Amino acid sequence: RKHTESTGVDAVAQKHWLGKTVKWSTSVVTEIMHMCMGDSARTTVQALERLQYLELYLWPNFTCGRSNDDYIVSVLLMLNEKHEQGLQSSMWQIFSNDFGEMFDDAIALMIRVMQGMACETTLDAWTVRSIVVRFLVACFSSIETACVRDACMPLVGVSLWHHVTPIVRDRSMEGVAQLRKFWKHECKKWTVSAKVSEEEAVRRTRDRDFVPELVRDLLRCVRAGEHDVFVVGVLELLIDLGSQLATRRYVNLLLDDWKVAELCARASYGELAQRLRNVVGFQVRDVTGQTLTASEASDRNYQRLVDLQLVAFEKLPDELDALIVAGTGRLGIPHELNGLLKVLSFEQLLEFSQAVGVRTQDADGSVYDEEQLRRLFCMHFEARTSVEDRARGMSAYPDEQVLFGSVVTASDAYGRASSLEYPVLALPKLGLQFLSVHDYLLRCFELLQIESASDISSDIQDAVGRMQPQATFENSDEVHFEGWTRMALPIKSLTITDVQRPRVGEQEPSCVRADLIVDLSGFTDVICAEWDASVRPRDVLILAAARAGGSVAYVRGCKVEARVDDTEGAGERQFRVLLDCAQYAQDIASSKGVYDKLNVAIRRRPQANNFKSVLETVRALMAAPPRVPKWLEPTFLGYGDPSAACPKLASTTVSFGDTFVSADHVRASFAEYAGVDFVDSFASPCIIEYPGDTAGTVRVQSSEAQRRNVQANQLEFTPMQVRAIGQAMLPGLTLVVGPPGTGKTDVAVQIVSNLYHAYPRETILLITHSNQALNQLFAKIVDLNIEPRHLLRLGHGEEDLDGDERYSRAGRIDS
């Protein structure tokens, strides 16, 4: 059937736009829309994208088709498919100045659909809504593109605050005089709306009401429990809006005030709702974009709870006397706060909620019932965990919820959908701007954990399936294994031997040790040797609790600290292992007896088993203050002009060391300038003083301080290479790009030499994608006039270097 659909699309394409002339007809668009219905719709859209339906037929006839709803939906379908295939870098190049008009047409179509007005489209109304929402996700993922930014940013402007509770809006503007002035200017637009044109009034109304109406539709669908595809799409859009400072600034207050995440916390899309809640409560100032430290975030939570107590003292001092004198730590726990509010009647709760800024009505104006209002009230004042505290509580080992959760299982089927319902995974996105360095690290941690979990899940299922766990006759809860595998062994015993006290300021233990015993009796000498060779200190083992039938109840990880026994060949092996402290603390609190039920130890291939060190490194970075240089941070987070992080050579002085081999080489390297002036006769090393522009003269002088330490360079670098070397000597980001054989390695080596001699007290770090690339750099660096005791090589591959000198950590100690 897929072949038939593709053949039909090919025939239409050959007839109407792949031939010698393009034959435009709106009936063709309608015909193709009929092909995009049914189970093979995704295949048809993919075929249309391959046949350049948008580039060759739809967009060149934008003026002809803009009044046709099927035409607008067709354009959106093709854009959504390009976005799904990751073609963002090229998809927006198709449009010119007309993108804004097409965007307005798409929003107008969506408004008509939401208002229940008749639309001339082949697809049903809810499918059209989902397509438009998917288009908005693509747009707000590309706000760095000028035409897209100009078209979609008015939808998330300050006019959204007309839908926010006044007391909440006023509190958000406290201490920000410029924002209050900006809001007054916005309010004046509506007092003089009669003086603007009808078209401008319609546009202002659209910008003010579109996102709130979209959220209202979302909450109605959640209440009714229907149209999950639309709900999931809108949640993804709201998460993206809250994840970027440019769109978060005004949207976030609306989402927090309406309690969108809390109202969407249903099982079918609970993970997306929780991600939205984390985004809304992220520790950053929405208006200024300033990142809050852990102490500042804690102070903000504390002040919210103190304000709650002050309002209680003012409004209901007799009824809420227990709340007034309670500790703020207790008020930040939802069930504790709910217990303190039970003394209030429903009318008193309504009055108190309005006084503290908790919304008492849903998006349609209906008053919440008492149970729901209490839940939203307590969730509003729930203490929000800082990124640093979240990092300390994260485990580097994926557990059974991560391994067998919906994200990992759904990711296996991602991209196989045949309908127009694009799958949405509850995963962070790296293609968006970042709120802070910690936000970037948090997204990386979660993605790396999911990536490692997918491989670990496959290894566990394979190992447990081969071991064939069966219930024993005496006790159905006990398991024995009828099969075997060389990658896993039954656990004979796992004993917790040492739990050390938490460090100051932390809650989880500082170290958890255990003794793990597995039995290799009955295995061949080859398999025993494999276990002895592959399970060494610092290696990771996966521990699973297999149940009869092959299912897995729990999964934990551990790092081998040492092997305790000295057995050779078949027999028992005893390992001293380190458990994850955060995971252990959670298990003890849950009282499930997890470690008594673990019965399988699984080893993994060394190439795939380095996930823990990577995750622990990211986790440690999250728990520490950000260390990104100020000049790099805007570019790193995706804001502003990326070129601002690049150094400028105008009106500056640069130490070039022995880069130049002769005076003629200097002149050729700066031929674009008006002239080259040598203070003295040419001598290496050189210091170059750049003029303000190319109309000035470059001044060259010798560096007496470095002369005795520099070995003469023999390579005559090209002018472009000299420019790269000069920029790399200045504070900032320098990117050197070129095909193989263009001298990138030689340029990098010369930069290292110049930096080493110009800044002898600084440390230079070289990072490469492979050991071979690092060895190529290192082989040239060791030939420079650099003291061997200043060279240290980390990682594998040192044995491939020529020479007798050892540059590893052990070699540096020996020398």
Side-chain angles (χ1 to χ4, degrees):
R1 180 172 180 177
K2 292 182 178 180
H3 175 73
T4 303
E5 293 287 346
S6 179
T7 303
V9 171
D10 288 339
V12 174
Q14 291 292 340
K15 180 179 179 181
H16 291 278
W17 70 82
L18 294 182
K20 294 182 179 180
T21 59
V22 176
K23 302 176 183 178
W24 168 258
S25 174
T26 55
S27 61
V28 174
V29 177
T30 304
E31 178 186 353
I32 293 177
M33 284 298 298
H34 282 287
M35 294 182 182
C36 293
M37 300 175 65
D39 296 335
S40 60
R42 181 73 184 279
T43 305
T44 303
V45 173
Q46 290 173 342
L48 290 169
E49 200 283 323
R50 173 176 53 83
L51 296 168
Q52 295 183 293
Y53 180 44
L54 175 63
E55 297 91 329
L56 301 181
Y57 195 68
L58 287 177
W59 193 246
N61 296 283
F62 170 68
T63 306
C64 303
R66 60 181 304 181
S67 60
N68 187 320
D69 291 338
D70 272 343
Y71 171 86
I72 297 297
V73 175
S74 299
V75 173
L76 302 187
L77 275 176
M78 301 314 302
L79 280 173
N80 292 347
E81 181 61 31
K82 287 181 178 294
H83 179 261
E84 188 69 17
Q85 295 183 16
L87 303 176
Q88 292 90 332
S89 59
S90 60
M91 60 187 287
W92 305 116
Q93 298 177 4
I94 301 170
F95 306 100
S96 56
N97 297 329
D98 292 331
F99 177 79
E101 297 182 32
M102 192 278 292
F103 183 88
D104 292 343
D105 289 344
I107 299 301
L109 172 62
M110 184 67 166
I111 292 174
R112 295 203 307 274
V113 171
M114 289 193 298
Q115 293 177 349
M117 300 172 63
C119 299
E120 300 175 359
T121 177
T122 305
L123 303 177
D124 65 273
W126 284 103
T127 302
V128 172
R129 292 186 195 210
S130 299
I131 291 172
V132 177
V133 168
R134 194 69 189 169
F135 166 68
L136 290 174
V137 170
C139 288
F140 283 105
S141 299
S142 303
I143 57 175
E144 70 278 0
T145 305
C147 65
V148 179
R149 181 174 60 252
D150 295 342
C152 64
M153 288 303 291
L155 297 181
V156 291
V158 70
S159 59
L160 295 178
W161 283 8
H162 288 284
H163 298 271
V164 175
T165 304
I167 188 173
V168 175
R169 183 176 60 230
D170 293 341
R171 286 178 180 175
S172 68
M173 293 187 289
E174 290 179 357
V176 189
Q178 188 65 28
L179 181 60
R180 188 175 296 276
K181 185 183 299 184
F182 191 35
W183 172 247
K184 289 182 178 179
H185 177 70
E186 164 65 23
C187 294
K188 288 180 180 179
K189 293 181 180 179
W190 297 94
T191 59
V192 296
S193 57
K195 298 181 181 180
V196 300
S197 64
E198 182 179 354
E199 180 181 358
E200 179 62 21
V202 171
R203 176 176 291 276
R204 289 182 180 179
T205 303
R206 183 205 72 173
D207 295 344
R208 180 192 64 185
D209 298 340
F210 180 78
V211 171
E213 288 299 327
L214 191 65
V215 174
R216 284 192 179 94
D217 267 5
L218 163 72
L219 297 178
R220 293 186 189 112
C221 292
V222 170
R223 272 200 310 271
E226 56 188 11
H227 306 301
D228 283 357
V229 176
F230 172 76
V231 170
V232 168
V234 177
L235 284 175
E236 181 187 12
L237 174 62
L238 297 179
I239 292 171
D240 288 355
L241 293 179
S243 299
Q244 303 178 96
L245 184 60
T247 54
R248 173 191 180 92
R249 183 169 284 116
Y250 304 113
V251 172
N252 202 61
L253 189 63
L254 176 72
L255 300 179
D256 189 26
D257 181 40
W258 285 23
K259 296 293 177 288
V260 177
E262 291 80 357
L263 293 172
C264 293
R266 285 184 52 198
S268 56
Y269 31 77
E271 292 179 344
L272 280 172
Q274 183 58 45
R275 182 163 297 282
L276 176 60
R277 190 159 188 247
N278 292 338
V279 167
V280 171
F282 194 81
Q283 57 188 65
V284 64
R285 300 189 190 279
D286 297 337
V287 177
T288 63
Q290 177 187 359
T291 303
L292 297 175
T293 64
S295 60
E296 290 173 336
S298 177
D299 291 343
R300 184 171 67 172
N301 281 332
Y302 173 78
Q303 190 58 49
R304 291 170 66 245
L305 297 174
V306 169
D307 291 341
L308 171 67
Q309 291 178 312
L310 291 175
V311 175
F313 181 76
E314 179 184 354
K315 299 291 184 180
L316 300 165
D318 297 329
E319 294 84 349
L320 295 177
D321 55 343
L323 184 150
I324 295 170
V325 298
T328 54
R330 183 184 177 189
L331 299 181
I333 303 174
H335 71 270
E336 292 283 352
L337 179 58
N338 187 42
L340 295 172
L341 294 175
K342 286 184 177 180
V343 297
L344 299 181
S345 65
F346 184 44
E347 290 73 16
Q348 289 175 321
L349 181 63
L350 285 173
E351 179 186 356
F352 189 46
S353 299
Q354 293 170 353
V356 297
V358 175
R359 198 178 185 92
T360 59
Q361 299 177 343
D362 62 19
D364 291 325
S366 301
V367 178
Y368 292 122
D369 59 50
E370 184 173 359
E371 180 182 356
Q372 192 170 31
L373 181 58
R374 287 183 183 276
R375 182 174 68 88
L376 294 177
F377 188 102
C378 296
M379 294 182 75
H380 177 80
F381 288 101
E382 182 178 6
R384 294 169 178 173
T385 307
S386 66
V387 175
E388 292 83 353
D389 291 338
R390 287 179 62 186
R392 296 186 186 97
M394 288 178 173
S395 171
Y397 302 109
D399 58 13
E400 65 280 356
Q401 295 180 351
V402 175
L403 290 169
F404 309 114
S406 60
V407 174
V408 174
T409 55
S411 62
D412 294 336
Y414 188 84
R416 302 177 193 169
S418 59
S419 65
L420 296 178
E421 300 174 0
Y422 292 99
V424 177
L425 301 179
L427 293 175
K429 298 180 180 180
L430 293 182
L432 301 176
Q433 296 171 338
F434 304 106
L435 297 174
S436 67
V437 176
H438 281 149
D439 180 33
Y440 165 77
L441 293 171
L442 183 61
R443 298 189 205 182
C444 286
F445 184 93
E446 294 179 358
L447 289 174
L448 288 169
Q449 189 179 55
I450 293 296
E451 182 182 13
S452 63
S454 180
D455 296 334
I456 294 173
S457 175
S458 300
D459 292 344
I460 293 175
Q461 292 174 353
D462 178 71
V464 173
R466 293 175 183 271
M467 295 183 70
Q468 302 176 22
Q470 303 294 330
T472 60
F473 290 105
E474 296 81 4
N475 188 349
S476 59
D477 293 333
E478 295 183 0
V479 172
H480 71 278
F481 299 95
E482 296 185 352
W484 68 277
T485 175
R486 66 194 314 141
M487 301 301 291
L489 293 173
I491 295 177
K492 190 170 183 179
S493 69
L494 177 65
T495 307
I496 307 297
T497 59
D498 182 23
V499 180
Q500 297 185 8
R501 293 181 177 181
R503 297 184 182 91
V504 176
E506 298 181 1
Q507 296 180 349
E508 60 275 358
S510 58
C511 182
V512 180
R513 286 187 175 89
D515 282 345
L516 171 68
I517 300 177
V518 295
D519 193 357
L520 280 166
S521 300
F523 286 87
T524 64
D525 292 341
V526 174
I527 296 180
C528 293
E530 286 181 1
W531 273 85
D532 293 340
S534 61
V535 183
R536 297 174 296 181
R538 294 189 297 275
D539 285 339
V540 172
L541 293 176
I542 303 299
L543 311 178
R547 294 183 291 201
S551 61
V552 178
Y554 303 105
V555 177
R556 296 295 180 265
C558 66
K559 182 173 72 172
V560 177
E561 186 178 32
R563 180 179 168 183
V564 180
D565 69 285
D566 55 359
T567 307
E568 295 183 1
E572 292 183 355
R573 299 291 190 273
Q574 182 174 352
F575 301 98
R576 181 69 46 79
V577 298
L578 298 175
L579 301 176
D580 188 274
C581 300
Q583 206 168 47
Y584 178 81
Q586 295 172 6
D587 292 334
I588 295 301
S590 65
S591 303
K592 294 181 179 179
V594 174
Y595 299 96
D596 296 332
K597 300 176 183 178
L598 298 174
N599 52 17
V600 178
I602 303 170
R603 65 184 175 95
R604 304 180 68 228
R605 293 175 289 106
Q607 297 85 347
N609 211 26
N610 64 344
F611 69 95
K612 181 177 184 293
S613 58
V614 176
L615 290 174
E616 283 184 332
T617 301
V618 178
R619 185 174 64 180
L621 290 172
M622 281 194 290
R627 298 174 181 175
V628 178
K630 290 299 182 182
W631 55 264
L632 181 59
E633 187 168 345
T635 301
F636 188 84
L637 300 179
Y639 300 108
D641 183 9
S643 63
C646 299
K648 304 297 187 295
L649 289 172
S651 302
T652 187
T653 301
V654 177
S655 175
F656 272 89
D658 63 342
T659 303
F660 304 105
V661 298
S662 65
D664 290 338
H665 184 201
V666 176
R667 296 187 183 95
S669 300
F670 301 104
E672 59 184 299
Y673 290 89
V676 177
D677 179 23
F678 290 89
V679 177
D680 300 311
S681 60
F682 171 79
S684 181
C686 292
I687 295 178
I688 304 298
E689 183 177 339
Y690 285 87
D693 52 43
T694 55
T697 300
V698 175
R699 298 182 76 251
V700 184
Q701 57 183 331
S702 176
S703 174
E704 296 289 343
Q706 299 179 26
R707 179 168 298 176
R708 67 179 185 274
N709 297 324
V710 177
Q711 178 177 320
N713 163 55
Q714 302 299 322
L715 296 175
E716 187 169 334
F717 293 103
T718 66
M720 185 57 69
Q721 291 173 332
V722 170
R723 180 180 178 185
I725 294 171
Q727 284 192 329
M729 295 298 295
L730 298 175
L733 178 65
T734 300
L735 186 65
V736 181
V737 182
T742 54
K744 297 188 298 298
T745 302
D746 291 328
V747 168
V749 170
Q750 188 61 41
I751 291 171
V752 170
S753 175
N754 292 353
L755 289 172
Y756 174 79
H757 292 99
Y759 305 99
R761 295 184 178 275
E762 298 295 334
T763 302
I764 303 171
L765 175 65
L766 296 178
I767 302 175
T768 63
H769 283 287
S770 66
N771 291 322
Q772 181 183 5
L774 182 59
N775 283 343
Q776 291 175 354
L777 277 172
F778 216 78
K780 294 187 176 185
I781 290 173
V782 295
D783 293 335
L784 299 175
N785 190 15
I786 296 178
E787 294 188 32
R789 63 188 180 91
H790 291 163
L791 295 173
L792 173 63
R793 189 193 184 286
L794 303 177
H796 298 287
E798 186 201 11
E799 61 276 4
D800 297 330
L801 286 171
D802 296 332
D804 298 330
E805 189 74 31
R806 297 174 62 196
Y807 298 99
S808 64
R809 282 179 288 187
R812 293 302 89 207
I813 294 173
D814 294 340
S815 63

